[in-house]
Every structure is written in C-alpha cells, then in structure tokens.
C-alpha cells in the first residue's frame, strides 16, 4: 500500500473517529459521564488528526513558500498564530468552525481562482480531493492546532536593539582610579 493510500485511509479513519467521538459524547451525557472527560477525548482526537493528517499536508504542499525559509505574502503555515492571523491580505485564512469564512479552503480547492494554492508554476502538485476534504473537516471541527506541533519564532520586537536604554552599573578599574575623565571611560 502506497503512502498516498495510507494517508487517505488515515484521513477517512479520523473522519469516522471524530463522528464516533461525537456519538460517545452524546451517550456520555445521557449516562452521566463527566463532560470534561468527553471534551478531553475529543481534543485528543482532534490533535491527533492535525498531527497525522493536516501537518503532513502543510509540510508537503505549503511550507516551501509559507514556512521558515520563505514567507510569501508574509504568511506561514508552520506557526499557528500567523496561520490563523494571516499575512499581507489582511483577512484570517483559517476561521475555526467556519468553512465558508476560511479563504484557505478556497485557495487550495478552486483551480480557477487568482489565489490558487499551491500556484500552478510552483512545481508542487495540487491538493487531492482527499487532502482538501481533510482540511475542510479540520476547520469544521475547530481547527485544533496543538502546541506540540507549533513552530516557535522569536518576537522581532524583543530584539536587543528595540529595548529601552538602561543605566549601566559598570564597575571597572577606570571608575575606581583617577584616570576616568569622561563617563565613557568606565567602559574602556
């Protein structure tokens, strides 16, 4: 069995599993199982779906242009905050629980759009119907993106050059001796 078939079976299995988890949730409520337990199981299933199905789609089809090495339109699909906030176009491309308000789904599904992703000239194959369906299912089920699968980036506003100047507590020998003629002499 090829890797594509395995991915398709995993995506289909996760879709069935999500439905099963929802059915279990209803049964649990009817039989008095604590809702927190049921919600925790749902979240685990959704995290697993992201790790095993969605992340590989992003890695194979998106991060070449929207990853750590290149950020076309200032957009990244390896950093959760940027993926949900969006890039230069200003609108959030992923809106959890709302397929119609999530432009990312249009970009990867509509071959005739101005924003077809991946672009036709990129050399990257378009998403298969199964991959598009998996993304749709992921968004419909809340677009869970676990912390363990998030790339952390340094905040550019936290660089030393953006920090306010502070008084130095330098205690050099020049300060102690009479050779310190100017305050800058303390640093020599």
């Amino acid at each position: 069995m090829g890797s594509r078939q395995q991915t398709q079976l995993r995506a289909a299995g996760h879709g069935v599993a999500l439905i099963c988890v929802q059915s279990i949730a209803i049964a649990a409520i009817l039989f008095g199982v604590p809702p927190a337990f049921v919600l925790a199981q749902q979240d685990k299933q959704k995290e697993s779906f992201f790790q095993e199905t969605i992340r590989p789609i992003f890695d194979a089809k998106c991060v070449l242009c929207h990853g750590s090495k290149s950020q076309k339109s200032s957009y990244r699909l390896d950093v959760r905050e940027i993926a949900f906030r969006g890039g230069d176009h200003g609108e959030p491309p992923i809106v959890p629980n709302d397929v119609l308000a999530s432009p990312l789904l249009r970009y990867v599904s509509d071959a005739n759009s101005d924003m077809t992703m991946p672009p036709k000239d990129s050399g990257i194959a378009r998403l298969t119907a199964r991959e598009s369906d998996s993304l749709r299912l992921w968004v419909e089920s809340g677009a869970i993106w676990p912390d363990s699968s998030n790339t952390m980036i340094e905040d550019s506003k936290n660089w030393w050059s953006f920090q306010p100047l502070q008084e130095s507590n330098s205690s050099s020998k020049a300060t102690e001796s009479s050779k310190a003629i100017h305050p800058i002499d303390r640093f020599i």
Side-chain angles (χ1 to χ4, degrees), residues 104-173:
L104 180 69
L105 297 175
R106 278 194 316 272
Y107 301 156
V108 300
S109 300
D110 187 3
N112 299 320
S113 170
D114 293 340
M115 290 284 291
T116 298
M117 295 291 153
K120 295 174 185 173
D121 62 352
S122 70
I124 300 171
R126 301 226 357 105
L127 271 66
T128 64
R130 174 81 59 184
E131 290 169 329
S132 293
D133 290 345
S134 294
L135 282 175
R136 188 175 315 287
L137 177 62
W138 175 64
V139 170
E140 281 176 351
S141 62
I144 299 297
W145 187 317
D147 290 337
S148 61
S149 191
N150 191 30
T151 301
M152 301 305 289
I153 58 172
E154 185 177 323
D155 183 3
S156 62
K157 294 176 184 151
N158 198 25
W159 293 348
W160 70 268
S161 57
F162 291 122
Q163 301 306 309
L165 295 176
Q166 296 179 357
E167 185 67 35
S168 172
N169 294 335
S170 174
S171 60
S172 71
K173 292 181 181 179

Side-chain angles (χ1 to χ4, degrees), residues 58 75 77 80-86 90-107 135-145:
F58 288 164
Y75 187 61
L77 275 166
R80 177 181 50 218
E81 289 74 23
I82 299 172
F84 285 97
R85 182 183 65 227
E91 64 180 331
I94 302 169
V95 180
N97 302 309
D98 195 343
V99 172
L100 296 176
S102 298
L104 180 69
L105 297 175
R106 278 194 316 272
Y107 301 156
L135 282 175
R136 188 175 315 287
L137 177 62
W138 175 64
V139 170
E140 281 176 351
S141 62
I144 299 297
W145 187 317

